[in-house]
Amino acid sequence: MTILKKALEARSKKINKVETTKAIKDPMEVYDKLEAIAEAGYEGLSKEDSSYFLKCFGLFDKGEDFMLRVRVPAGQLSQRQAQRIGEVAQKYANDYIDLSTRMQIVLRYIQIENIAKVLNALKEVGLTTFQTAADNTRNTVADPLDGLAYDSIIPTQPIVESLEQMLIKNPEWLSTLPRKFNTGILGSLSNSCNIFGHDCCFVLAQKEGMFGFNVYLGARVGVQAKDANVFLTQEEVLPFYEALLTIFKTYGYRDNRNKNRLHFLLQDVGMVNLIAAVEKEANQCFKSAGITMVQSQDIALGSNKVLGRNGKMNHKLIVPSGIFSGTDLISCANEAQTFGDGNLRLTYDQNLFIVNVPLEASEALQKSEVVTKYETFNTPYFADMIACAGTHTCSFGVIPNKPDAIEMAHFLNSEIAIDNAVVRMNWSACPKGCGVHGIADIGFEGCKAKDSEGNRVDGVHIFIGGKITREAKEAHTLHKALPIDEAKYHVKYLLKTYANHKLRAETYEAFDDRFLSKNYSFQALAFFTKINYILNDVLDLEKEFTLSAEPKSGKREEYELFTFGLQLFKLLTGEKRFDSVLGLNANMLKPTSIKRDTVSRLNPKVPAKLSEIIYNMTHENKNERAAVFSELLVALKEI
């Protein structure tokens, strides 16, 4: 372990302020005094308890009240637990609930005098809030239909329970890590929990006819986990995990908190050396990786219900942006008890399942009041949407976010209805990326932008092309700092292309692989959405610029730029720019020179600036043409 020691020594010149705070006292001292803290009120709340120690138990001081994370391992709730959370929300949290991407529940607006009462009420039904924040192992995510779906090969709930028993409320692991540690375990063929997006990922695999898990490590915002070349049996998950956490606790960095995640230790010491240290710690040699078996996205794929292997139906409630209520959670718990087995499953995409509903009861459940209430959101634009908190409840938020996501989904649903479609649109209110926008089909990161009059407004950076199927892949930037009111039109033109060219039941991710990313550069796609916005939503010309299914440009920017220019000339004037072209060269037997204002003269509705742009794109001398889309996008801002 020499290389790990050297890496730690190199990063141990100083420790961060949080580590200094952690040394003040044992977090359990704070937990044992919760009733006294609640009774003392804000006046008696110490700075270190407010800023750190209460977070070890999921409590976030928001200045006037508290936010609370409730740990729900693998997202599985019993009827009694769901009922109790709903009652707590009604009584102490303004009846408000957020469903989170870690498959757990967030309560807000809890007054300091009630924090001990809330935690005790949850404890009575076997729920804890331990280690849902601060430098701890966060809630473990899994397939929401774990053990139920036809593609669930290894039920992972027993493994998750063993991890929980080892870690939660164990003083050895409470607040002892250098930084937070996210874990996911997937025993199914479908990636329903962003399985490659955690510090530690156990992914369904097969080796020599045996089913187990391949290990991927070191994800963080903007970076997917890397293959550790390790295969584990079900029995080996716990000893591997304990050894990995021990190595991270021992050698993880404690200086710059922005660079203290497992990712940075891996970056410095390498995967091979880290795994060697884990094996030494576990006193066990693990097999090399098998075949990763993730084959698809969520098995439901566009449906709000899916038949389980036990012959019973699992009904999904689409909860827009995860905004829920205690009252509705109680209703779901009651319906689950009436029509199913009483259990609920929370999902990574901020929705929930009522599970194990007999087929003969399925129709009656669908007619129930709470299911009917959320049926209106069963559209491609809501079903797989994710949005983090935003400015209303998060101090880091740059935009409201959840309302923005909902508004755009409604807009898209009214503009482009698509049957049998799956589109993953994820919203993060700031660069921290809690809305996991980086792996979305279409992702949004909140920012400030300027409108056409130069006013500072809420905006987004738009990302496209994220992948979660078979492999994890980060999205590419399409546009930076667009006003949200404009951004929805850019998304509309991407989705119109999807609607026009999709194969039957083709997901957007598959469509992107087959059509968009295969045929066009990201620069070309940025120009495509921008020019359509200009033509139709700024100039109201009702001239839609479309993408060819078989372009001949080969994703080479100069060819794409020239081809787009020729298409625009024809679209706006009704005339061909050249008699013929060969590659980048025009047929000069009959020279076809134009002036900067030619398009405007042929079509007076076209402003001079756009005419000039098309002139620059299609100049008969290729050396005189615009060279890159970026300069055209800048020019389009002047229209």
Side-chain angles (χ1 to χ4, degrees):
M1 299 187 185
T2 303
I3 190 169
L4 279 84
K5 291 178 181 177
K6 287 183 177 179
L8 179 60
E9 289 171 1
R11 288 282 301 271
S12 297
K13 307 302 181 187
K14 60 179 181 178
I15 61 171
N16 60 64
K17 292 180 180 179
V18 173
E19 291 296 331
T20 303
T21 299
K22 286 159 69 173
I24 295 174
K25 52 189 166 184
D26 185 330
M28 287 305 297
E29 294 178 29
V30 178
Y31 183 77
D32 293 338
K33 296 177 181 177
L34 275 180
E35 292 185 2
I37 291 173
E39 187 176 341
Y42 266 111
E43 295 76 13
L45 185 61
S46 70
K47 183 178 180 180
E48 64 268 17
D49 289 350
S50 169
S51 65
Y52 184 80
F53 289 107
L54 287 175
K55 291 179 182 178
C56 292
F57 313 107
L59 286 160
F60 288 74
D61 179 8
K62 293 297 182 178
E64 298 178 350
D65 49 41
F66 281 81
M67 178 191 91
L68 177 66
R69 291 176 180 164
V70 182
R71 195 176 187 96
V72 186
Q76 299 191 20
L77 280 174
S78 69
Q79 188 274 341
R80 186 165 175 247
Q81 289 173 330
Q83 179 92 20
R84 179 58 56 86
I85 293 172
E87 292 168 353
V88 166
Q90 287 179 327
K91 188 172 182 179
Y92 299 111
N94 293 1
D95 200 28
Y96 184 91
I97 283 174
D98 275 325
L99 305 182
S100 84
T101 57
R102 294 222 65 80
M103 301 173 75
Q104 58 190 5
I105 282 176
V106 177
L107 302 174
R108 301 185 186 276
Y109 314 118
I110 298 171
Q111 300 301 307
I112 190 169
E113 61 266 24
N114 295 323
I115 57 176
K117 297 175 186 176
V118 168
L119 267 60
N120 286 330
L122 296 172
K123 184 179 179 180
E124 288 176 354
V125 294
L127 290 167
T128 183
T129 62
F130 274 58
Q131 298 193 46
T132 52
D135 296 342
N136 292 293
T137 53
R138 306 297 180 82
N139 196 54
T140 301
V141 303
D143 181 358
L145 296 180
D146 177 63
L148 299 178
Y150 274 97
D151 76 325
S152 179
I153 308 299
I154 301 177
T156 61
Q157 180 63 11
I159 301 174
V160 173
E161 288 178 358
S162 70
L163 303 183
E164 294 285 305
Q165 290 171 7
M166 179 190 86
L167 295 166
I168 307 309
K169 300 185 182 180
N170 183 340
E172 290 184 24
W173 297 112
L174 182 58
S175 186
T176 58
L177 297 178
R179 202 67 167 83
K180 72 175 181 178
F181 197 90
N182 291 334
T183 305
I185 183 166
L186 181 68
S188 305
L189 297 174
S190 56
N191 185 0
S192 52
C193 61
N194 182 27
I195 192 56
F196 300 103
H198 313 280
D199 293 273
C200 180
C201 319
F202 300 107
V203 187
L204 179 68
Q206 183 262 106
K207 186 177 178 70
E208 299 171 356
M210 298 289 291
F211 292 117
F213 303 95
N214 281 345
V215 178
Y216 292 75
L217 299 174
R220 57 185 286 269
V221 171
V223 179
Q224 295 298 309
K226 302 295 190 297
D227 188 351
N229 192 27
V230 170
F231 175 83
L232 303 173
T233 64
Q234 297 175 58
E235 295 73 25
E236 290 172 330
V237 171
L238 183 59
F240 177 91
Y241 192 62
E242 185 174 14
L244 174 65
L245 286 176
T246 300
I247 293 299
F248 183 49
K249 180 169 69 171
T250 305
Y251 298 103
Y253 304 141
R254 298 176 186 267
D255 53 351
N256 182 350
R257 286 186 65 78
N258 292 327
K259 295 183 178 181
N260 283 4
R261 294 281 292 275
L262 179 66
H263 167 84
F264 296 100
L265 180 61
L266 262 173
Q267 201 172 48
D268 289 343
V269 305
M271 187 69 76
V272 171
N273 290 313
L274 183 78
I275 295 301
V278 171
E279 290 183 329
K280 184 174 181 180
E281 177 65 32
N283 194 27
Q284 186 173 349
C285 289
F286 301 106
K287 292 181 179 179
S288 60
I291 301 170
T292 298
M293 297 184 65
V294 177
Q295 298 294 316
S296 70
Q297 294 178 29
D298 188 340
I299 193 173
L301 282 180
S303 174
N304 68 335
K305 59 184 179 180
V306 60
L307 184 67
R309 61 169 68 240
N310 59 3
K312 296 181 179 181
M313 197 66 75
N314 304 288
H315 286 259
K316 188 176 185 181
L317 259 70
I318 308 302
V319 182
S321 292
I323 299 174
F324 210 43
S325 69
T327 298
D328 286 346
L329 183 60
I330 291 172
S331 296
C332 286
N334 292 336
E335 303 299 0
Q337 190 69 31
T338 301
F339 297 105
D341 63 0
N343 292 311
L344 300 175
R345 301 285 185 93
L346 306 182
T347 74
Y348 148 78
D349 53 10
Q350 300 176 300
N351 300 307
L352 63 83
F353 277 101
I354 297 173
V355 298
N356 289 325
V357 178
L359 293 179
E360 60 270 21
S362 183
E363 185 175 347
L365 172 62
Q366 287 184 284
K367 292 179 180 178
S368 67
E369 184 176 349
V370 70
V371 173
T372 302
K373 176 180 178 180
Y374 288 91
E375 178 63 27
T376 184
F377 301 110
N378 185 29
T379 77
Y381 307 117
F382 281 105
D384 295 281
M385 181 178 75
I386 290 173
C388 67
T391 52
H392 181 61
T393 55
C394 178
S395 58
F396 296 106
V398 180
I399 62 174
N401 207 50
K402 284 180 180 285
D404 299 319
I406 292 171
E407 183 179 343
M408 183 177 287
H410 279 307
F411 168 78
L412 294 171
N413 198 52
S414 66
E415 292 283 317
I416 316 155
I418 313 177
D419 294 328
N420 298 316
V422 176
V423 184
R424 296 179 299 107
M425 293 193 292
N426 297 358
W427 289 71
S428 295
C430 77
K432 284 183 173 294
C434 294
V436 288
H437 62 277
I439 50 88
D441 293 327
I442 305 173
F444 307 88
E445 180 190 308
C447 66
K448 291 301 179 183
K450 290 186 177 180
D451 64 15
S452 58
E453 298 178 355
N455 299 312
R456 187 174 167 85
V457 297
D458 288 340
V460 287
H461 307 309
I462 300 181
F463 300 80
I464 60 172
K467 310 293 180 192
I468 61 169
T469 303
R470 293 188 178 88
E471 65 172 350
K473 186 178 180 182
E474 287 289 320
H476 294 261
T477 304
L478 183 72
H479 289 289
K480 294 190 76 68
L482 287 180
I484 292 178
D485 286 344
E486 177 183 336
K488 64 185 181 182
Y489 294 103
H490 291 262
V491 177
K492 180 179 83 169
Y493 293 114
L494 287 173
L495 292 171
K496 286 189 76 172
T497 305
Y498 173 45
N500 292 336
H501 293 279
K502 73 184 283 290
L503 303 178
R504 185 179 63 181
E506 185 177 36
T507 66
Y508 188 95
E509 180 176 317
F511 170 74
D512 180 74
D513 282 336
R514 179 184 63 82
F515 187 100
L516 290 179
S517 294
K518 177 183 177 182
N519 294 324
Y520 295 97
S521 68
F522 291 104
Q523 296 88 342
L525 293 174
F527 180 85
F528 160 73
T529 64
K530 187 71 174 182
I531 195 64
N532 270 309
Y533 171 68
I534 295 294
L535 294 177
N536 297 286
D537 305 298
V538 175
L539 301 177
D540 199 24
L541 295 179
E542 297 184 356
K543 296 285 187 179
E544 189 164 334
F545 181 84
T546 59
L547 295 175
S548 169
E550 297 181 353
K552 298 178 181 179
S553 57
K555 295 177 67 171
R556 291 169 292 180
E557 190 168 8
E558 57 181 342
Y559 281 86
E560 290 177 318
L561 195 150
F562 182 48
T563 303
F564 280 14
L566 297 177
Q567 187 178 342
L568 279 171
F569 189 91
K570 178 69 180 294
L571 180 69
L572 295 176
T573 67
E575 299 181 8
K576 291 179 66 175
R577 174 69 176 86
F578 299 106
D579 287 339
S580 64
V581 295
L582 180 62
L584 292 173
N585 297 309
N587 181 353
M588 299 308 292
L589 296 176
K590 297 180 180 179
T592 315
S593 297
I594 64 171
K595 295 182 179 180
R596 295 179 183 275
D597 64 348
T598 297
V599 177
S600 293
R601 286 191 289 104
L602 293 173
N603 184 348
K605 293 183 179 180
V606 175
K609 187 63 181 180
L610 181 54
S611 180
E612 181 182 353
I613 289 171
I614 297 171
Y615 168 84
N616 288 331
M617 295 174 74
T618 64
H619 198 286
E620 54 268 21
N621 183 349
K622 65 180 182 180
N623 295 323
E624 297 292 326
R625 291 175 198 152
V628 292
F629 279 113
S630 57
E631 64 179 275
L632 299 181
L633 290 169
V634 171
L636 286 172
K637 291 180 180 180
E638 299 180 28
I639 298 175

